[in-house]
Amino acid sequence: MRRLPRTFLAAATLVLAAPLATLAPAGAADQPAPRLASQRQVALATPGDFTGYGFDQCVAPTQKAMNAWWRKSPFSAVGIYISGDSRACRTQPNLSPTWVATQVARGWRLLPIALGPQASCQPRFPRYADDFRISATPTGGYAKAAQQGAAEADKNAADAMAYGIGAGSTIWYDLEGFDLTNTHCRESALVFTSAWVSRIKALGYVAGFYSSASSGIKMLDDARTERPGQFALPDRIWIARWDGVANTSTTYIPEDGWRPGGRMKQYLGGHNETWGGVTINIDSNFIDLGAGSQPVPEGRCPGTRLGFWKYPTLTPSAAQPTRVKVLQCLLTEQGTYAGPVNGSYDAATVAAARAWQAKRKFTPTDTFEKRHWTALLAAGARTTVKRGSVGESVHRLQRALNAAGAGRFRASGVVDAKTEAALRAYQRRLRIPVSGVATRQTWNKLQQGR
């Protein structure tokens, strides 16, 4: 991989690091990914605040595969190996600054991984003749290991910047599992990591660390609890624990470390998954980073509450004013109602409702029923929505699921565990692929009032 000169790194802090939320606005997720002007002049910061699913695979997938997986898979984050001479995938035929910018513009959260020198007692390394392990020589408090850690951070930051992954991004150092009982192996790895963390943070990046729960992660947590202040610790940890549980917990370390917002977990090892007709061999991860996925103010119908657990049938003789206000507001947006939003299911509101029903190919009736509510609440762009998604489309999805009887929750504007469960229940009921992702097919069913 081409290395950048040190002078480039010195200038890295002068490059704009645009927040991910700015580059991937809510509601644009299922549109063609825009081409960013002057891509090489903008350094992207990633992954931002996010709670949801991610996958990692050694060789960055093709653009076609990424597009298919965005539309169909539950994943919103992708791990990419950008640096490190110990990588199995030194050659990355698809990875480029344009690839990086395109994924972020689409909405993907990137997890840049560096796999450089490994622990001295790790039997699978070095992989290549020009590769080397972390020095376990204890002289000077493992001074050689510290030098290696700082030098590797320089290399990793340079490679990240070459791909357009700028300051503010998390770079994850991958330290594969090793024998934690081997004192020199463990201590040299700890010193190496401490030096890497200090240097990568000095270069403006967030320090992330990946390892097995029973070795590298436990090594760091033991240092945190038993030798506080003696080592520079990463800002975030990525726990490899293949227990099949999609959370960020492990029995190897207590719950208090790197919380809140500092953990992710690789809960499934290498396996094939197929989404959108594309099969990739992946590891699966659950992510809870930063402040987590945060709701975006919707800004519709000021002063009118739109979200409820239930949307009962409206008739001229029985209509809850709070729900009628929702109907009047949404019919105004649909262009069939021009009266006041006053909660009265009067002749004008009934006429507007009938006009909307006819427009949507329902048989016009004075009664506004479950199927009408589901279709009206879902109306809008058929944006791909999945765990961790935020924005106006999420509000629409959550309200429509409640109306359809698949959920009973507050429309928060964030796809959380309850929303995902309701979405799966709805898909199962409609006998469409059960993915927990609001695909175009899912939106079609909702907008049909199913």
Side-chain angles (χ1 to χ4, degrees), residues 373-406:
W373 276 120
T374 302
L376 180 61
L377 291 163
R382 290 169 290 186
T383 304
T384 297
V385 173
K386 55 183 75 176
R387 183 69 179 269
S389 292
V390 300
E392 181 269 341
S393 57
V394 176
H395 286 282
R396 287 191 291 113
L397 174 67
Q398 291 174 323
R399 291 192 286 258
L401 289 172
N402 279 347

Side-chain angles (χ1 to χ4, degrees), residues 40-111:
R40 292 180 181 274
Q41 298 176 22
V42 179
L44 309 173
T46 187
D49 300 322
F50 178 67
T51 302
Y53 301 110
F55 76 93
D56 60 275
Q57 202 261 356
C58 200
V59 176
T62 64
Q63 189 57 56
K64 180 180 179 181
M66 293 299 293
N67 291 344
W69 275 47
W70 178 261
R71 290 190 297 267
K72 300 292 186 178
S73 84
F75 303 109
S76 295
V78 55
I80 50 172
Y81 282 82
I82 64 162
S83 186
D85 289 338
S86 294
R87 289 174 294 166
C89 46
R90 281 182 171 184
T91 300
Q92 290 280 4
N94 303 314
L95 194 57
S96 69
T98 298
W99 188 97
V100 166
T102 300
Q103 306 332 309
V104 174
R106 169 52 62 82
W108 286 103
R109 313 281 178 143
L110 303 186
L111 307 167

Side-chain angles (χ1 to χ4, degrees), residues 298 300-312 314 319-337 339-345 349 352-353 356 368 372-379 395-396 399-400 402-403 411:
E298 190 175 17
R300 300 173 66 192
C301 301
T304 301
R305 178 184 172 187
L306 300 180
F308 292 92
W309 287 5
K310 295 177 67 177
Y311 295 86
L314 305 178
Q320 293 183 13
T322 55
R323 308 309 198 271
V324 176
K325 285 183 178 181
V326 176
L327 176 64
Q328 290 170 328
C329 171
L330 297 182
L331 291 178
T332 299
E333 291 184 349
Q334 293 292 311
T336 65
Y337 181 71
V341 180
N342 58 11
S344 175
Y345 198 57
T349 304
W356 176 84
F368 207 80
H372 303 133
W373 276 120
T374 302
L376 180 61
L377 291 163
H395 286 282
R396 287 191 291 113
R399 291 192 286 258
N402 279 347

Side-chain angles (χ1 to χ4, degrees), residues 168-179:
S169 297
T170 302
I171 297 179
W172 302 88
Y173 195 84
D174 180 343
L175 190 71
E176 295 292 300
F178 60 93
D179 181 3

Side-chain angles (χ1 to χ4, degrees), residues 54-350:
F55 76 93
D56 60 275
Q57 202 261 356
C58 200
V59 176
T62 64
Q63 189 57 56
K64 180 180 179 181
M66 293 299 293
N67 291 344
W69 275 47
W70 178 261
R71 290 190 297 267
K72 300 292 186 178
S73 84
F75 303 109
S76 295
V78 55
I80 50 172
Y81 282 82
I82 64 162
S83 186
D85 289 338
S86 294
R87 289 174 294 166
C89 46
R90 281 182 171 184
T91 300
Q92 290 280 4
N94 303 314
L95 194 57
S96 69
T98 298
W99 188 97
V100 166
T102 300
Q103 306 332 309
V104 174
R106 169 52 62 82
W108 286 103
R109 313 281 178 143
L110 303 186
L111 307 167
I113 305 166
L115 203 163
Q118 296 294 295
S120 62
C121 57
Q122 221 297 341
R124 293 186 290 110
F125 295 88
R127 277 194 169 111
Y128 312 102
D130 60 348
D131 191 9
F132 56 88
R133 295 174 178 167
I134 296 170
S135 172
T137 303
T139 305
Y142 301 96
K144 177 62 175 176
Q147 292 171 4
Q148 290 175 321
E152 187 65 21
D154 283 344
K155 181 188 299 184
N156 302 155
D159 288 337
M161 186 58 69
Y163 284 121
I165 301 168
S169 297
T170 302
I171 297 179
W172 302 88
Y173 195 84
D174 180 343
L175 190 71
E176 295 292 300
F178 60 93
D179 181 3
L180 197 61
T181 65
N182 185 318
T183 300
H184 288 310
C185 181
R186 180 190 67 244
E187 292 299 298
S188 58
L190 184 56
V191 169
F192 174 96
T193 301
S194 178
W196 183 90
V197 166
S198 295
R199 183 61 178 157
I200 209 75
K201 293 174 71 170
L203 293 169
Y205 287 89
V206 178
F209 179 84
Y210 166 94
S211 191
S212 66
S214 61
S215 58
I217 297 298
K218 187 174 182 347
M219 171 189 76
L220 291 183
D221 195 68
D222 287 346
R224 177 183 71 90
T225 58
E226 298 171 11
R227 293 185 278 179
Q230 294 187 32
F231 301 94
L233 299 178
D235 303 296
R236 297 171 169 180
I237 57 172
W238 184 346
I239 305 164
R241 177 66 174 127
W242 299 348
D243 57 7
V245 182
N247 61 22
T248 60
S249 297
T250 173
T251 56
Y252 285 96
I253 63 172
E255 287 293 310
D256 62 322
W258 289 275
R259 292 195 190 277
R263 288 190 183 195
M264 56 183 287
K265 187 174 85 177
Q266 186 182 82
Y267 64 91
L268 283 178
H271 63 285
N272 287 340
E273 290 198 20
T274 302
W275 299 100
V278 176
T279 301
I280 307 177
N281 187 270
I282 65 167
D283 301 323
S284 298
N285 305 277
F286 187 78
I287 302 162
D288 187 16
L289 295 177
S293 296
Q294 294 292 304
V296 177
E298 190 175 17
R300 300 173 66 192
C301 301
T304 301
R305 178 184 172 187
L306 300 180
F308 292 92
W309 287 5
K310 295 177 67 177
Y311 295 86
T313 297
L314 305 178
T315 69
S317 61
Q320 293 183 13
T322 55
R323 308 309 198 271
V324 176
K325 285 183 178 181
V326 176
L327 176 64
Q328 290 170 328
C329 171
L330 297 182
L331 291 178
T332 299
E333 291 184 349
Q334 293 292 311
T336 65
Y337 181 71
V341 180
N342 58 11
S344 175
Y345 198 57
D346 53 19
T349 304
V350 171

